[in-house]
Amino acid sequence: MGQKDMLVVAAHAADAFTRAGGAMALYRSRGYRVHVLALTDGVYGESGGYWQHHPDGTAAACAQLRQAEAQAAADTLGVTLECWGLPDYPLLLDEAAIRRLTGRVLDIRPEIVLTHALEDPTNVDHETAGREALRAVSSAAQLGARPHTPAHPFPNLYLFESTVPYAEFNRFVPDTYLVIDGVIEQKLEAIRCFACQPQLPDYYRHIARHRGFQAASFLKQPVTYAEGFRRYLPYVGTGFPLFERQA
């Protein structure tokens, strides 16, 4: 069996690492190639630290800094990174951008796709990224999406955390937990690369503890840190998926 790929489609530079840094680290350790695609650099709405310390700064300089931060985070986890540099707040994808995204799905042919929850009223950029990632994987599954290219069957698609700490308001209910105890420090090291958002490490250590508490309750075994996801398609197999409990 050949090497498998994971694709993470995120609205802003830091989103993939805050919400799925643990998943990426876990799957890298299992031999997956992991690709992060950040649609925007988060210049206009996700870079408060830059604008606070550079009141006379420019969008171009901010974008360059955010891309450098994202690359450092990607290097920390050993994943590849594409920064598309689209404007954020609002994030709007036209037909050309959606076809480009469909093309990347056809190029990478991921076994797993992670992206934003489709409902995130406190950050509509996230909703947009999630919807358009879904549109891209749906399109890539159609023969003829790119002539002379085989269709890519709908991948295992998981939706990650909406804006924290508003999970209840955003109606985000995880149905899948990944235990990330062994990679939490690597995840936090990657998040610390985003100096323009210094609040992120504390936010996401807290949410990982919260999800870990929930996961431990379901598993009936000790778990300290976890990431929560929602599966988009139902599970289909010849047996029920079972908890991975210790002997």
Side-chain angles (χ1 to χ4, degrees):
M1 183 180 295
Q3 193 170 27
K4 293 183 179 181
D5 295 81
M6 171 188 283
L7 173 63
V8 187
V9 180
H12 310 108
D15 290 339
F17 302 92
T18 53
R19 289 155 171 83
M24 291 192 286
L26 285 174
Y27 275 83
R28 277 288 297 127
S29 71
R30 295 169 187 171
Y32 273 65
R33 290 177 295 232
V34 179
H35 314 264
V36 175
L37 199 164
L39 297 175
T40 83
D41 302 318
V43 168
Y44 298 105
E46 303 271 314
S47 301
Y50 173 82
W51 295 112
Q52 181 179 3
H53 294 101
H54 303 85
D56 297 321
T58 66
C62 182
Q64 185 176 21
L65 177 59
R66 296 313 312 268
Q67 289 178 17
E69 290 179 349
Q71 188 60 60
D75 292 343
T76 297
L77 296 184
V79 304
T80 66
L81 172 71
E82 295 179 38
C83 294
W84 281 19
L86 299 176
D88 63 307
Y89 288 81
L91 168 60
L92 302 170
L93 274 71
D94 59 14
E95 179 184 343
I98 296 167
R99 292 195 184 280
R100 180 185 175 191
L101 184 53
T102 301
R104 293 304 292 134
V105 174
L106 288 169
D107 291 336
I108 296 168
R109 310 187 78 79
E111 178 76 14
I112 300 170
V113 173
L114 308 180
T115 193
H116 291 274
L118 302 180
E119 195 171 10
D120 194 343
T122 55
N123 194 315
V124 180
D125 276 11
H126 294 170
E127 290 188 0
T128 299
R131 285 197 307 268
E132 303 309 349
L134 175 59
R135 192 189 302 271
V137 298
S138 299
S139 297
Q142 311 307 313
L143 188 62
R146 187 168 66 188
H148 316 298
T149 302
H152 180 60
F154 207 102
N156 294 280
L157 177 63
Y158 289 89
L159 309 174
F160 48 60
E161 292 278 353
S162 61
T163 303
V164 301
Y166 310 119
E168 293 84 1
F169 177 77
N170 292 331
R171 293 175 289 279
F172 179 77
V173 180
D175 61 15
T176 302
Y177 293 83
L178 290 186
V179 177
I180 61 169
D181 287 353
V183 296
I184 182 63
E185 294 306 326
Q186 188 179 5
K187 171 178 177 167
L188 292 173
E189 182 182 355
I191 294 174
R192 291 187 192 102
C193 294
F194 295 98
C196 289
Q197 295 173 277
Q199 76 278 10
L200 294 181
D202 285 344
Y203 271 32
Y204 284 94
R205 183 185 289 276
H206 173 82
I207 196 66
R209 279 190 178 276
H210 179 61
R211 296 303 184 203
F213 183 81
Q214 293 175 330
S217 179
F218 288 122
L219 193 61
K220 306 304 180 188
Q221 289 179 210
V223 175
T224 305
Y225 296 105
E227 288 176 341
F229 298 88
R230 186 159 187 84
R231 189 180 180 94
Y232 184 74
L233 293 180
Y235 171 79
V236 179
T238 57
F240 295 111
L242 302 176
F243 287 126
E244 298 179 11
R245 293 195 172 101
Q246 297 173 359

